[in-house]
């Protein structure tokens, strides 16, 4: 018997990392670990009468066109077509050379960092030594390439973004650290890096203590030209109370100017991305804020207007994490898919007036909530699919997995088990990414995991040794 939405919510973990304690010690490793433990320990709620409780980067989606039409919403009984359907292609583990230690708290990102024609991999660890890069060696696996990736302090996890920020033809790397703000590394096209900016964070507001670290951390970062000057700018989301910040680039990658923009100056966001939501040619901001998924439309000059009508604002903060944007019902308008730590993946379809409409539960079999999420066409049928990390049950321990939901282009989803992606046996897996890493025309899946899980009887280690894991798509 499938649980109703309210029953699913009440039987899940309470995830309230910032509501449990509004401590100011963002830079404290101990407090950072305690917040993570609080978000992962299940709490059995008492069900009372009348109690209810309501996206580094996917493919670029088509923008709204002149022939766009109003979407047809899926009916309540057309949710996930099959919980146990046959797989549409399979995946095999291809993680040789990737780390078997560390807690990789990020959405991994890809790019050809040494310009050999193969996509490489970058990730950021919690309680680590900063960002790390692995070069794609093709059939022989992955090779660590740490040259120049120094971090002035320990890293706490966060997000990464890739772009050519100084326009020299080589990919560069921006890193958001949960404790220390944003750093920028310039790449030389041969796999070596130079740090040129560090600890970017917004000016403290409303604080009498200049040493107050409340706004020092950054949870995620995105690069893109938001003011139409030809230089990639930087959007960063705070870990605690700094809101979402815009830093304008001078074109060198070395100087970034914080700018007041119309984006929120308070609160935090677990994920942030830049994409064109309304089809006007300007980049917009989509974020998994602490208060819920949110959208701000950019004007191409660096200013923003809120456009979140129809998106949720639950009482419990911090439920939403992985987020991505794509045209999921193929009406010409980009939609939002987001991972909810309680209810699993959710989909919000964009309407003709720019508002958002939630579809029925896209994965009713996921009762343990979701963390990472990415969109891509896994089976080559021309329709966007969803890959999400999470757990199917409320059990503790190494019970997490990675799951593929196949879309039909009309807003309906089916989950095919036995695809080669693990349903269980993983540690907490914070983020996922999709790309064709081995150039065979099939989308591959990358997952960043190794985070702390609840104490529970059973295995003391994940079933897969790698903490940063790749599954290659097969026919």
């Amino acid at each position: 018997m499938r649980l109703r939405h309210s029953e699913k919510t009440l039987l899940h973990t309470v995830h309230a990392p910032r509501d449990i304690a509004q401590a100011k010690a963002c830079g404290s490793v101990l407090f950072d670990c305690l917040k993570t433990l609080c978000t992962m320990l299940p709490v059995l709620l008492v069900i009372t009468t009348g109690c209810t409780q309501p996206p580094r980067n996917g493919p670029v989606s088509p923008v709204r066109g002149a022939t766009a039409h109003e979407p047809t919403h899926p009916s309540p009984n057309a949710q996930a077509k099959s919980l146990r359907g046959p797989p549409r292609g399979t995946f095999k583990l291809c993680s040789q050379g990737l780390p078997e230690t560390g807690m990789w708290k990020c959405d991994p990102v890809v790019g050809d960092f040494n310009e050999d024609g193969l996509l490489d991999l970058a990730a950021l660890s919690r309680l680590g030594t900063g960002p790390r890069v692995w070069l794609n060696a093709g059939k022989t696996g992955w090779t660590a390439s740490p040259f120049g990736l120094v971090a002035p302090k320990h890293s706490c996890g966060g997000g990464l973004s890739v772009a050519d920020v100084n326009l020299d033809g080589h990919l560069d790397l921006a890193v958001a650290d949960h404790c220390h703000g944003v750093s920028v590394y310039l790449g030389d096209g041969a796999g070596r890096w130079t740090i040129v900016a560090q600890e970017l964070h917004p000016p403290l507001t409303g604080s009498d203590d200049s040493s107050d670290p409340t706004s020092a951390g950054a949870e995620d970062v995105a690069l893109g030209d938001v003011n139409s000057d030809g230089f990639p700018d930087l959007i960063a989301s705070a870990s605690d109370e700094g809101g979402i910040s815009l830093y304008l680039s001078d074109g060198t990658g070395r100087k970034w100017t914080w700018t007041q923009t119309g984006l929120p100056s308070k609160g935090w966001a677990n994920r942030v991305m830049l994409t064109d939501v309304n089809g006007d040619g300007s980049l917009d901001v989509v974020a998994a804020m602490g208060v819920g998924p949110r959208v701000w439309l950019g004007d191409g000059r660096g200013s923003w207007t809120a456009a979140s009508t129809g998106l949720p604002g639950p009482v419990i903060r911090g439920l939403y994490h992985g987020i991505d944007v794509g045209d999921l019902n193929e009406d010409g308008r980009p939609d939002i898919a987001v991972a909810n730590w309680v209810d699993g993946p959710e989909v919000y379809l964009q309407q003709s007036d720019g508002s958002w409409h939630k579809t029925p539960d896209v994965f009713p079999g996921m009762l343990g909530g979701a963390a990472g999420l990415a969109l891509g066409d896994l089976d080559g049928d021309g329709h966007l699919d969803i890959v999400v990390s999470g757990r199917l049950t409320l059990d503790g321990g190494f019970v997490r997995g990675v799951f593929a939901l196949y879309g039909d282009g009309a807003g309906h989803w089916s989950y095919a088990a036995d695809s080669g992606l693990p349903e269980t046996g993983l540690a907490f897996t914070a983020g996922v990414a999709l790309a064709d890493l081995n150039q065979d025309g099939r989308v591959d899946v990358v997952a960043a995991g190794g985070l702390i899980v609840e104490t529970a009887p059973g295995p003391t280690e994940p079933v897969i040794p790698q903490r940063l894991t790749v599954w290659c798509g097969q026919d």
Side-chain angles (χ1 to χ4, degrees), residues 422-443:
E423 284 192 345
T424 187
L426 299 184
F428 188 90
T429 301
V432 295
L434 303 179
D436 182 4
L437 298 170
N438 56 3
Q439 297 181 319
D440 65 351
R442 297 298 299 259
V443 173

Side-chain angles (χ1 to χ4, degrees), residues 174-225:
V175 178
D177 190 281
H178 178 85
C179 296
H180 307 300
V182 176
S183 298
V184 177
Y185 297 80
L186 298 183
D188 69 351
R192 294 182 293 266
W193 307 88
T194 302
I195 187 169
V196 294
Q198 57 186 295
E199 296 194 358
L200 299 176
H201 56 81
L204 297 175
T205 57
S207 174
D208 296 328
D209 182 3
S210 61
S211 64
D212 182 352
T214 298
S215 303
E219 198 67 22
D220 202 9
V221 62
L223 292 167
D225 182 6

Side-chain angles (χ1 to χ4, degrees), residues 190-342:
R192 294 182 293 266
W193 307 88
T194 302
I195 187 169
V196 294
Q198 57 186 295
E199 296 194 358
L200 299 176
H201 56 81
L204 297 175
T205 57
S207 174
D208 296 328
D209 182 3
S210 61
S211 64
D212 182 352
T214 298
S215 303
E219 198 67 22
D220 202 9
V221 62
L223 292 167
D225 182 6
V226 303
N227 61 352
S228 305
D229 66 352
F231 304 134
D233 305 302
L234 190 153
I235 291 282
S237 59
S239 297
D240 284 276
E241 291 300 331
I244 297 178
S245 296
L246 167 63
Y247 300 87
L248 296 178
S249 171
D250 69 346
T252 68
R254 299 174 181 273
K255 182 179 179 181
W256 303 87
T257 303
W258 179 84
T259 306
Q260 201 79 36
T261 62
L263 295 171
S265 59
K266 297 291 185 181
W268 84 95
N270 292 306
R271 300 289 192 277
V272 65
M273 61 181 299
L274 287 167
T275 187
D276 185 1
V277 168
N278 61 351
D280 65 352
S282 299
L283 290 175
D284 309 310
V285 173
V286 179
M289 292 291 292
V291 295
R294 294 292 183 267
V295 175
W296 291 268
L297 302 179
D299 65 356
R301 298 184 297 276
S303 295
W304 314 87
T305 302
S308 300
T309 301
L311 294 176
V315 175
I316 299 174
R317 298 191 299 165
L319 293 179
Y320 293 94
H321 281 245
I323 194 166
D324 209 345
V325 172
D327 187 1
L328 299 176
N329 61 347
E330 299 176 11
D331 66 348
R333 289 186 287 270
D335 309 304
I336 292 175
V338 62
N340 183 320
W341 276 34
V342 171

Side-chain angles (χ1 to χ4, degrees), residues 125-145:
S125 67
R126 188 182 189 87
L127 305 182
T129 56
R132 287 293 174 265
V133 164
W134 292 265
L135 300 179
N136 189 343
K139 293 182 179 180
T140 60
W142 301 87
T143 302
S145 179

Side-chain angles (χ1 to χ4, degrees), residues 24 26 49 51 67 69 105 121 143 185 191 231 259 272 317 398-400 414-415 442 444 446 455 467 469:
K24 302 285 182 144
C26 175
T49 303
C51 178
T67 60
H69 56 275
K105 178 181 175 286
L121 180 61
T143 302
Y185 297 80
F231 304 134
T259 306
V272 65
R317 298 191 299 165
F398 296 100
V399 297
R400 275 74 176 182
S414 61
Y415 168 55
R442 297 298 299 259
D444 308 314
V446 187
T455 301
R467 302 303 197 259
T469 313

